[in-house]
Amino acid sequence: MDNISLINSKKETYFSQLDGIRFLAVMLVLIDHWMAERNPLPLGHLGVTMFFVLSGFLITRILIQSKLKDDRTGRSHWFSVKQFIVRRSIRIFPIYFLSIFALYYFNIPPVRETLIWCLTYSTNLYIAINQHWMGTIDHLWSLAVEEQYYLVFPYLILFLPTRHYLKLLGAMIVIAIATRLWLYFNGTPWLVQYVLMPTALDCFGLGGLMAYYFTFKKNEVFDKLAQTKFIILSFIAYAICVSLIIIQQKTTGEVENFGKLVTERFLGATFCFFLIAKAISEYKGFLKWFFEQPIVQYLGRISYGIYLYHNFVYNFYHTPQTSIVLRGLHKIQRMFPLFTLNIGFEFLYFLGITVFIATLSWFIIEKPINHLKKYFTY
């Protein structure tokens, strides 16, 4: 079968420019979290959305490959379920749980009070129920969303006939938008709907569509979608939406409007869909040079660690002035007044510390443990 031959040939393909996408996504999050009120744009929202769409593509592609190999070899789909769970656990769990235990040991709030929520990847539910963020561990909500998504989605891909995939992925997009609409018209606060897994399903669904078309209809559909014009058009639509949201907020003082609660994530996910599709097909010119820069590639490769640790290094709203990181910053600024209130320097200072920690994490913990994946091949 031609499709299976295509899958076998592509299975071990490493899309190098996707590390550039990871770099871009994590930088958007860092700018949003570290610059906070000095940055009016929802860059963090877009960064997280980019991660979700990218995850939707990669996970769906892996699962489709596994299913077709199961069907071709007569192997049980439960074998692929086990392989998926083990491999994702090897990649995600070690530094996550080590971070939680370290925060617990040093009594960094609110970890001890919310330990069960942290250990069960349900901090997003805690935020939704209590309707407030969690300080130093705010950002763990997105990791919880991904883990909750993994609890269901692999079974659907592995056990559903492939002819139903488009219906499934389309239904995910509809469910997400319908859920956000329902929550909006019921007056649910933005914070609640933003962190729930079902409201992010359009991001995963669009990523899944990308994987489906790449696998089964690369020439007929995927290559036609991976065009610069679609990136530009989708970005314009997203930028217009964000502009209208900001204008309405400043004009009426209404923080939670329809665009922010319902539309922004879908348009952002659509932009990310085309941006990532083009990276899979590979950019040319300046963007090829940028996404394939060694430093960009490296930071993209360790982006999980950067994302996990960055809030522990600094958070605009929650880091006390007595923290060792801020004391170090203020000491440098006293020595070199030129760096006082210099946003660019502050960002690079926090980034340097975060990258240093993430680098240690990568070489000491993550990379050695990741080698265990070779014993659990699909």
Side-chain angles (χ1 to χ4, degrees), residues 85 96 195 237:
I85 292 172
Y96 176 86
V195 300

Side-chain angles (χ1 to χ4, degrees), residues 191-311:
L191 174 64
V192 176
Q193 67 98 332
Y194 185 67
V195 300
L196 295 176
M197 187 273 286
T199 61
L201 282 176
D202 49 347
C203 304
F204 295 116
L206 284 167
L209 280 176
M210 205 186 316
Y212 176 87
Y213 289 130
F214 180 84
T215 304
F216 296 112
K217 298 181 181 294
K218 187 175 187 303
N219 296 327
E220 307 97 302
V221 179
F222 184 85
D223 289 343
K224 294 178 181 178
L225 292 173
Q227 296 185 46
T228 304
K229 64 180 180 181
F230 293 122
I231 301 174
I232 295 172
L233 290 172
S234 59
F235 177 76
I236 290 173
Y238 177 69
I240 290 173
C241 175
V242 171
S243 299
L244 292 174
I245 291 170
I246 294 173
I247 291 171
Q248 184 174 352
Q249 288 176 340
K250 289 185 176 180
T251 303
T252 66
E254 182 182 329
V255 176
E256 300 182 353
N257 55 52
F258 184 87
K260 180 177 181 179
L261 294 174
V262 179
T263 312
E264 186 245 342
R265 179 175 268 170
F266 175 72
L267 292 178
T270 303
F271 165 64
C272 293
F273 174 93
F274 292 114
L275 184 77
I276 294 168
K278 184 64 176 177
I280 293 165
S281 294
E282 295 193 350
Y283 286 95
K284 306 298 181 186
F286 171 76
L287 287 177
K288 174 181 174 63
W289 172 85
F290 177 78
F291 283 138
E292 295 182 6
Q293 279 291 301
I295 186 65
V296 169
Q297 289 275 300
Y298 173 70
L299 294 179
R301 198 170 303 124
I302 66 169
S303 59
Y304 174 50
I306 292 174
Y307 182 85
L308 180 61
Y309 302 128
H310 82 277
N311 235 30

